[in-house]
Amino acid sequence: MAEQSSSDCGGSFNSFYETWFQQLHQLVRQLRLCPNPPTTHDHRAAVSNLVQTIMSHYSDYYQVKSAAAERDVLQMFTAPWATSLERSLHWIAGWRPTTLFHLVYTESSILFESHIVDILKGLKTGDLGDLSPTQFRRVSELQCDTVREENAITDELSEWQDGASDLVGCLTEGVERKVRKLVGILRKADDLRLKTVRRVVELLTPQQAVEFLIAAAELQFGVRGWGQDQDGVRRCC
């Protein structure tokens, strides 16, 4: 089999991403149809299975992305399948893991305010607005851990960038070693992204996990949709 060119690799991942993104839409539609809250054992089992399906969908994305990065890591950073807005928000060729904690706190605050009357009456809603003190503590601890890991990976990328001058006049083997290090940095960033989603979901009840995954996907859909609109306007000008 002939080796793929850089454009072939990018085009292949672009096609994969479009299909993956459409499938994410379908999975989120299924999440929205889940009983809220799950009322029976069968409902709870179905919700848990769907949450695991979503997590497997994210895992599949990073597996394919990792393989594509092995072929052409620079394509992962230029990300031609993403909109200009999405690329402007990227941290090491993807979303910043700590974004998830801002999402949890925002959704929790919105739902808490919408149910304030019931909560004052001592009623439990079971949603993200009803996070327990233990859940808040564990989310906060996870956020601190994630910030430390994010900073360590950012420092590693900074060191890689500081050595950019080494590429000038470098032999092919030296360039390859440099690029291989960038692949490793990207893999660490993607591993942290996936690990953070998994650990947040593990801290939540099935009902809360559904609400969190819907909110995370809606943020992704919204940013991409707005970015596509803006790119379309620029193309017309």
Side-chain angles (χ1 to χ4, degrees):
M1 183 181 294
E3 290 187 9
Q4 287 181 294
S5 67
S6 295
S7 59
D8 290 338
C9 293
S12 175
F13 189 81
N14 185 66
S15 298
F16 160 78
Y17 184 79
E18 290 298 327
T19 300
W20 181 90
F21 199 72
Q22 291 169 8
Q23 291 171 342
L24 181 62
H25 270 285
Q26 295 169 4
L27 290 170
V28 170
R29 279 195 288 271
Q30 293 179 46
L31 282 178
R32 291 194 181 102
L33 295 174
C34 289
N36 187 18
T39 54
T40 69
H41 174 74
D42 288 343
H43 284 161
R44 287 190 289 273
V47 168
S48 295
N49 287 337
L50 187 51
V51 167
Q52 290 307 311
T53 299
I54 293 274
M55 296 310 301
S56 294
H57 192 58
Y58 282 120
S59 180
D60 290 344
Y61 169 76
Y62 288 114
Q63 286 180 4
V64 174
K65 183 180 177 184
S66 179
E70 288 285 342
R71 295 191 297 269
D72 189 347
V73 67
L74 299 183
Q75 280 280 351
M76 299 298 106
F77 281 84
T78 57
W81 47 84
T83 65
S84 300
L85 176 61
E86 288 172 301
R87 287 191 291 272
S88 74
L89 297 171
H90 277 178
W91 169 81
I92 311 185
W95 52 272
R96 185 177 286 274
T98 45
T99 302
L100 295 183
F101 301 102
H102 300 297
L103 187 64
V104 170
Y105 295 136
T106 299
E107 290 297 309
S108 179
S109 177
I110 291 172
L111 289 171
F112 178 84
E113 290 176 5
S114 68
H115 298 316
I116 186 65
V117 174
D118 291 334
I119 292 171
L120 289 175
K121 292 178 180 177
L123 299 176
K124 293 289 186 180
T125 61
D127 58 20
L128 280 173
D130 195 20
L131 292 173
S132 70
T134 299
Q135 285 179 309
F136 269 118
R137 176 179 55 78
R138 293 177 66 191
V139 168
S140 179
E141 290 171 350
L142 178 57
Q143 181 180 13
C144 291
D145 291 342
T146 304
V147 167
R148 282 193 290 270
E149 291 189 65
E150 250 187 31
N151 289 341
I153 298 170
T154 298
D155 289 345
E156 193 170 346
L157 179 64
S158 295
E159 290 177 10
W160 187 90
Q161 292 170 332
D162 288 343
S165 59
D166 297 341
L167 293 171
V168 179
C170 224
L171 296 175
T172 301
E173 295 152 2
V175 173
E176 288 178 352
R177 279 196 301 273
K178 188 80 172 172
V179 170
R180 289 295 306 167
K181 188 170 182 180
L182 184 60
V183 172
I185 294 170
L186 175 57
R187 183 174 292 117
K188 289 180 183 178
D190 282 343
D191 287 346
L192 181 58
R193 281 184 264 266
L194 182 58
K195 180 175 72 172
T196 303
V197 177
R198 282 177 170 158
R199 293 183 68 183
V200 169
V201 167
E202 288 170 359
L203 296 176
L204 304 174
T205 67
Q207 178 187 350
Q208 292 167 344
V210 166
E211 293 167 347
F212 165 71
L213 290 171
I214 289 175
E218 285 180 340
L219 177 61
Q220 190 174 359
F221 298 156
V223 170
R224 185 166 181 79
W226 197 77
Q228 288 172 331
D229 290 343
Q230 293 302 304
D231 285 351
V233 169
R234 278 194 294 276
R235 281 194 294 268
C236 291
C237 294

